[in-house]
Amino acid sequence: MTNRRTFLKTATAAAAAAVCAPIVTSCRQASSESAAASMPVAEPLESNGGSDLIVPKEAGLRITGTFLDEISHDIPHQNWGPVEWDRDFQYMKAIGIDTVIMIRSGYRKFITWPSRYLLGKGCYMPSLDLVELFLTLADKYGMKFYFGLYDSGKYWDTGDMSYELESNKFVIDEVWKAYGHHSSFRGWYISTEISRKTKGCIETFHEMGRMCKDVSGGLPTFISPWIDGKKAIMGTGLNEKKGVSVQKHEEEWNEIFDGIHDVVDACAFQDGHIDYDELDAFFSVNKKLADRYGMECWTNAESFDRDMPIDFLPIKFDKLRMKLEAAARCGYDKAITFEFSHFMSPQSAYLQAGHLYDRYKDYFNIG
């Protein structure tokens, strides 16, 4: 399965990819110059208010939320401190992001904050309290912060979600006591990712959602599963199999939503595992199910590219645009992304990310 947990990219491949864009540009420029004499000169485009885009602007759903991934399993750390993070929050704010979500507060032994419980279970002491830092910056820039629960890794080893309850019943209580005073602490992210009706998923989602709400006075919760589409199947090497059908997807998620909707307020399906001509079919089902159960329908508009031979690079702008336009057509409530700091930020380690930021601003007429 091609997802962020199967990441095998080496530092050498990433460095090579980061510099390939200028080389390709130079080759194209040379080719264009050699053919210029025999090519007719096109008149400047005057549609869309003088923009050089040939598609309607602002037809997509704007991204207003992003995950923060600093306990990553499969993308490189950028080793930012408070100065770099403050600058990134400014870049987020400038394009209208009002919600930041810590994707997980810990993964196996690495954690984002000095949790007494998790340190007592053998986790490593972090050098910086990222929970406090992110909440302080969210306070400063008027953003909502969602706390992502701890991921023990046992689900990925066993396929049984119920293991995640053991640690999180302590983590939820501890983090609320330590950080619940922040005005920006506005919700919870149940971080365990699934695609189908996984063993124990309904019971585990329900129990974790209930615990989050009970301790915080009913703050909202959300999940971000993936759709078991063509690109998920291809990543397993089982290319002869097809992705889940729209009908089967609807059947399984109808059952899951029915069991969790009283304690899970929103669902943001990851949009990268289906093809671009399948977006409307799956998105329509997601919206219909969310409406049926009184949940908000968000999209996790992935800003990394699943179509490249190297995992994972910033996405081609048109791919992101098409996904956001489908979300708008289907009446989605909110678009979040995985994730701004690596794949859209002007200060990302990936050169292409800053260009994606600029193209996004052009498309949405953001000055």
Side-chain angles (χ1 to χ4, degrees):
M1 176 176 61
T2 303
N3 59 38
R4 295 191 297 276
R5 300 185 177 278
T6 59
F7 177 73
L8 299 174
K9 173 162 62 85
T10 65
T12 301
V19 299
C20 70
I23 296 173
V24 171
T25 301
S26 298
C27 292
R28 287 175 178 167
Q29 287 174 345
S31 176
S32 298
E33 290 167 2
S34 66
S38 60
M39 294 287 288
V41 178
E43 292 296 326
L45 294 171
E46 297 180 357
S47 60
N48 298 318
S51 168
D52 57 357
L53 295 183
I54 58 174
V55 296
K57 286 183 149 188
E58 301 190 73
L61 185 63
R62 290 195 182 211
I63 294 171
T64 56
T66 181
F67 285 104
L68 304 172
D69 190 357
E70 274 304 297
I71 291 294
S72 177
H73 179 71
D74 47 21
I75 57 176
H77 288 273
Q78 302 193 99
N79 294 308
W80 290 351
V83 172
E84 292 87 356
W85 276 113
D86 189 294
R87 187 182 303 122
D88 225 48
F89 271 64
Q90 293 178 53
Y91 285 130
M92 296 175 200
K93 185 78 173 179
I95 62 167
I97 287 177
D98 60 20
T99 305
V100 290
I101 307 115
M102 176 174 279
I103 195 166
R104 59 185 69 85
S105 55
Y107 178 63
R108 298 188 188 268
K109 291 188 175 183
F110 284 96
I111 55 179
T112 58
W113 56 294
S115 164
R116 290 185 179 181
Y117 173 78
L118 294 174
L119 289 170
K121 291 294 183 179
C123 289
Y124 306 134
M125 172 66 81
S127 58
L128 185 65
D129 185 339
L130 287 172
V131 177
E132 179 64 34
L133 174 61
F134 292 157
L135 279 162
T136 298
L137 290 173
D139 289 344
K140 178 179 178 179
Y141 292 106
M143 297 181 182
K144 301 174 185 177
F145 173 87
Y146 280 68
F147 179 85
L149 302 187
Y150 173 69
D151 185 342
S152 71
K154 292 180 180 178
Y155 160 65
W156 303 107
D157 295 336
T158 67
D160 187 346
M161 281 185 66
S162 62
Y163 286 109
E164 301 311 314
L165 288 171
E166 179 182 351
S167 297
N168 278 298
K169 64 184 178 183
F170 297 102
V171 167
I172 291 166
D173 185 64
E174 184 181 355
V175 79
W176 181 251
K177 288 178 180 177
Y179 304 102
H181 63 279
H182 280 275
S183 61
S184 60
F185 198 132
R186 302 290 292 277
W188 306 85
Y189 171 54
I190 302 173
S191 58
T192 308
E193 299 174 17
I194 64 172
S195 64
R196 309 286 291 270
K197 189 186 172 188
T198 303
K199 180 181 179 181
C201 68
I202 295 175
E203 297 79 10
T204 304
F205 277 153
H206 193 277
E207 182 62 15
M208 288 198 285
R210 184 195 62 77
M211 290 190 295
C212 289
K213 285 183 171 294
D214 284 351
V215 78
S216 64
L219 287 184
T221 65
F222 84 97
I223 58 174
S224 186
W226 77 86
I227 300 169
D228 199 22
K230 296 175 182 178
K231 297 178 188 179
I233 298 298
M234 288 173 63
T236 66
L238 302 175
N239 294 350
E240 71 279 5
K241 293 190 176 181
K242 297 181 179 179
V244 66
S245 68
V246 175
Q247 293 75 20
K248 188 65 175 177
H249 173 78
E250 180 174 4
E251 174 187 321
E252 292 184 349
W253 280 97
N254 181 69
E255 183 176 355
I256 295 170
F257 280 10
D258 183 53
I260 67 174
H261 69 275
D262 58 324
V263 292
V264 176
D265 299 280
C267 181
F269 278 102
Q270 301 168 27
D271 67 5
H273 291 97
I274 54 177
D275 216 340
Y276 303 99
D277 56 7
E278 298 178 301
L279 290 168
D280 285 84
F282 279 97
F283 280 19
S284 295
V285 164
N286 296 342
K287 177 62 173 170
K288 179 173 71 173
L289 291 175
D291 287 349
R292 177 180 299 163
Y293 291 102
M295 299 168 66
E296 289 193 15
C297 188
W298 299 1
T299 187
N300 180 354
E302 294 177 339
S303 42
F304 65 93
D305 203 327
R306 291 189 181 273
D307 305 326
M308 299 291 291
I310 300 174
D311 298 335
F312 292 104
L313 300 175
I315 198 168
K316 175 183 173 68
F317 169 71
D318 277 331
K319 295 177 180 179
L320 180 61
R321 173 184 62 80
M322 291 166 67
K323 296 190 295 182
L324 295 175
E325 288 172 352
R329 284 193 299 271
C330 294
Y332 274 35
D333 299 298
K334 189 177 183 71
I336 63 175
T337 187
F338 184 88
E339 52 85 49
F340 179 88
S341 297
H342 282 86
F343 305 118
M344 288 188 72
S345 171
Q347 65 171 349
S348 167
Y350 296 109
L351 178 65
Q352 305 95 324
H355 299 318
L356 180 58
Y357 185 81
D358 290 339
R359 301 293 77 72
Y360 180 90
K361 288 174 65 179
D362 290 345
Y363 176 71
F364 282 109
N365 285 312
I366 299 172

